[in-house]
């Protein structure tokens, strides 16, 4: 094992981390590392391998394996990119012919014009390989020379420990993001809608239009007559037991996730803002009597989508694909099945996203973004009310 190449491997890992890449996969022996960029849309994925490669056959098999993984990654990524880069750090090149294996990038079928580019850096081509790599990632790559009395193995081990410690701390920070708050208002809102449902059943039935109007359902003539509270009261009303059951389950699972992510008071604001926007959307586009927590619940989807704009990599590695699929399925279902207030769902989705932008994530501050979200929210609400009245 060559100390100079060992140090180069960890210097490259450290370089990419400083360029705001994050470790997404680390082999048990730390000889293979996959990194994902938070910002570089040109080269979003980099793989580094430290191995002394003797034969080109091994190199060929490993490139094919890495290319198949890259194909799977490209299927899951949204947006375009140019390259996924695969880098080998070897003391010496293979003893037989190998250059033809990396001469041309391999195409990625899921992304038009995207490619899987391989580099093999060995002790005889370090300078030119780093220059080519810098051209690909569009950032200069240079490392300070090692002082004559410094042991490269010692420096490599020191850098490795620092990188792995930072990776562990990063994982812990990301884990804590999902455990910031405790579900308080989720349980309160569930209890309120169950209690209101029982009161409505006692008063004549939750499917009785007169009872629904009495308890505050969305009814356009009364809203236009000045009963503004009907933009909020429908959040806690449900038409029939099945409607209550479905929304209670949805509120339980989504509410738990969003309240843990944003904290209770942010969750409270998001839920009511989304509920208002849901009712506003229904008020503007449907004349029928309506009620339900669906708009506010879609707002919780919106809040999770907003989280995805702040932590895109974490969103798609955890809940992102499922959340987007559920939104699409529910909206398509709402378009196909009569009687579902899709305008309220879309309004709630927009309202939840904007409300999350106003309060932002706990311990995060982006005043420009928050003020922009507030301005857009107020403008949409004012315009909607102006049109509706």
């Amino acid at each position: 094992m060559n100390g100079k190449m060992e140090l180069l491997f960890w210097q490259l890992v450290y370089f990419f981390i400083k360029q705001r890449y994050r470790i997404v996969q680390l082999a048990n022996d730390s000889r293979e590392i996959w990194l994902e960029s938070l910002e570089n849309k040109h080269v979003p994925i980099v793989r580094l391998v430290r191995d002394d490669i003797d034969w080109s056959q091994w190199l060929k098999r490993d490139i094919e394996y890495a290319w198949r993984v890259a194909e799977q990654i490209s299927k899951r990524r949204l947006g375009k990119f140019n390259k996924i880069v695969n880098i080998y750090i070897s003391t010496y090149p293979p003893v037989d012919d190998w250059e033809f294996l990396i001469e041309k990038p391999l195409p990625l079928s899921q992304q038009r014009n995207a490619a899987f580019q391989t580099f093999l850096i060995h002790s005889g081509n370090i300078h030119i390989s780093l220059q080519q790599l810098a051209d690909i990632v569009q950032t200069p790559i240079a490392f300070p020379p090692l002082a004559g009395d410094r042991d490269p193995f010692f420096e490599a081990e020191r850098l490795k420990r620092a990188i792995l410690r930072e990776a562990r701390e990063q994982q812990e920070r990301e884990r804590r993001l999902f455990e910031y708050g405790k579900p308080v208002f989720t349980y309160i809102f569930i209890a309120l809608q169950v209690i209101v449902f029982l009161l409505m059943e006692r008063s004549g039935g939750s499917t009785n239009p007169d009872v629904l109007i009495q308890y505050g359902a969305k009814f356009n003539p009364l809203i236009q007559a000045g009963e503004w509270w009907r933009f909020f009261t429908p959040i806690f009303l449900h038409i029939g037991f099945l409607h209550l059951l479905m929304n209670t389950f949805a509120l339980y699972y989504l509410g738990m996730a969003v309240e843990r992510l944003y904290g209770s008071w942010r969750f409270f604001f998001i839920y009511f803002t989304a509920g208002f926007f849901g009712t506003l959307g229904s008020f503007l586009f449907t004349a029928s009597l309506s009620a339900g927590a669906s708009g506010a619940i879609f707002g919780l989807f919106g809040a999770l989508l907003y989280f995805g704009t702040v932590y895109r990599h974490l969103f798609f590695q955890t809940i992102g694909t499922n959340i987007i699929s559920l939104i699409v399925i529910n909206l398509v279902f709402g378009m196909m099945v009569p009687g579902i207030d899709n305008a309220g769902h879309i309004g709630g989705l927009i309202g939840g996203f904007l409300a999350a932008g106003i309060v932002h994530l706990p311990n995060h501050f982006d005043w420009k973004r928050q003020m922009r979200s507030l301005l857009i929210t107020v403008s949409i609400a004012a315009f909607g009310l102006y049109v509706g009245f």
Side-chain angles (χ1 to χ4, degrees):
M1 191 69 70
N2 184 284
K4 180 180 178 182
M5 304 308 290
E6 191 76 7
L7 178 58
L8 177 62
F9 173 75
W10 289 107
Q11 284 176 325
L12 276 171
V13 175
Y14 187 72
F15 163 80
F16 283 110
I17 289 175
K18 285 299 182 183
Q19 298 301 313
R20 290 189 52 79
Y21 283 72
R22 62 188 293 275
I23 296 174
V24 292
Q25 184 173 325
L26 175 67
N28 291 333
D29 59 1
S30 302
R31 315 307 291 171
E32 177 190 7
I33 297 176
W34 289 81
L35 301 109
E36 181 180 23
S37 174
L38 303 180
E39 297 175 351
N40 193 329
K41 296 180 181 179
H42 180 66
V43 182
I45 303 291
V46 174
R47 178 193 185 229
L48 290 119
V49 176
R50 172 69 182 106
D51 205 331
D52 287 334
I53 304 169
D54 295 325
W55 300 96
S56 61
Q57 190 61 30
W58 181 95
L59 180 63
K60 180 176 181 294
R61 287 196 304 269
D62 194 73
I63 290 174
E64 290 173 350
Y65 152 76
W67 175 77
R68 287 195 296 270
V69 174
E71 282 277 79
Q72 295 301 313
I73 292 172
S74 66
K75 289 180 183 178
R76 298 194 300 266
R77 288 193 67 87
L78 297 178
K80 295 186 177 297
F81 62 89
N82 290 347
K83 282 185 171 61
I84 290 178
V85 173
N86 181 38
I87 306 167
Y88 297 95
I89 310 295
S90 178
T91 304
Y92 301 105
V95 297
D96 53 352
D97 290 339
W98 59 274
E99 290 91 345
F100 72 95
L101 293 173
I102 67 170
E103 186 177 5
K104 293 182 179 179
L106 299 174
L108 293 169
S109 60
Q110 302 300 319
Q111 287 276 350
R112 187 179 180 183
N113 299 325
F116 180 75
Q117 177 80 57
T118 295
F119 291 87
L120 195 157
I121 304 175
H122 56 81
S123 54
N125 74 348
I126 293 175
H127 179 74
I128 189 171
S129 294
L130 291 183
Q131 183 57 55
Q132 292 171 346
L133 182 59
D135 292 340
I136 293 291
V137 300
Q138 301 178 347
T139 306
I141 302 175
F143 305 122
L146 190 66
D149 59 342
R150 305 289 291 183
D151 181 359
F153 283 110
F154 175 82
E155 289 299 312
E157 186 63 27
R158 181 187 63 80
L159 199 53
K160 172 185 174 181
R161 287 197 299 269
I163 290 169
L164 296 182
R165 181 174 61 251
E166 171 59 27
R168 287 192 296 270
E169 291 173 355
Q170 180 185 34
Q171 290 174 351
E172 179 61 22
R173 288 194 298 269
E174 291 176 351
R175 184 189 64 79
R176 289 199 298 266
L177 283 173
F178 294 96
E179 299 177 357
Y180 175 80
K182 294 182 179 180
V184 176
F185 284 115
T186 298
Y187 292 122
I188 292 173
F189 292 156
I190 287 174
L192 283 174
Q193 63 190 36
V194 170
I195 291 169
V196 171
F197 178 81
L198 294 175
L199 291 173
M200 290 171 65
E201 288 294 313
R202 186 178 178 181
S203 299
S206 61
T207 59
N208 186 324
D210 293 332
V211 173
L212 284 165
I213 292 172
Q214 176 188 347
Y215 275 81
K218 189 225 80 174
F219 187 53
N220 287 11
L222 291 180
I223 292 177
Q224 290 168 332
E227 295 186 6
W228 56 266
W229 58 85
R230 291 182 184 271
F231 282 114
F232 298 97
T233 50
I235 300 171
F236 301 103
L237 309 181
H238 291 86
I239 305 172
F241 178 73
L242 182 60
H243 191 204
L244 171 71
L245 184 66
M246 291 175 64
N247 277 351
T248 299
F249 273 115
L251 174 56
Y252 177 78
Y253 287 108
L254 283 172
M256 295 276 282
V258 174
E259 194 165 1
R260 287 186 187 279
L261 189 61
Y262 283 89
S264 293
W265 289 108
R266 287 180 176 84
F267 171 79
F268 181 90
F269 178 77
I270 291 168
Y271 195 76
F272 269 89
T273 302
F276 168 77
F277 267 74
T279 308
L280 179 61
S282 179
F283 172 67
L284 292 174
F285 294 99
T286 62
S288 59
L289 182 72
S290 66
S294 302
I297 290 168
F298 263 81
L300 302 182
F301 279 125
L304 293 174
L305 287 179
Y306 179 80
F307 169 76
T309 68
V310 181
Y311 286 97
R312 179 172 173 168
H313 63 284
L314 192 56
F315 178 70
F316 283 104
Q317 283 179 0
T318 53
I319 59 176
T321 303
N322 290 336
I323 292 299
I324 292 173
S325 299
L326 284 170
I327 292 171
V328 172
I329 290 169
N330 277 280
L331 289 178
V332 170
F333 183 75
M335 292 175 185
M336 296 175 63
V337 178
I340 294 179
D341 192 351
N342 238 11
H345 294 172
I346 295 170
L349 183 69
I350 294 170
F353 183 89
L354 291 173
I358 294 171
V359 298
H360 209 40
L361 292 166
N363 302 319
H364 291 65
F365 300 97
D366 189 340
W367 296 116
K368 288 184 179 179
R369 190 173 189 175
Q370 290 174 259
M371 291 303 296
R372 185 167 62 247
S373 296
L374 177 61
L375 180 61
I376 294 171
T377 302
V378 172
S379 299
I380 293 175
F383 179 74
L385 292 172
Y386 174 78
V387 171
F389 285 94

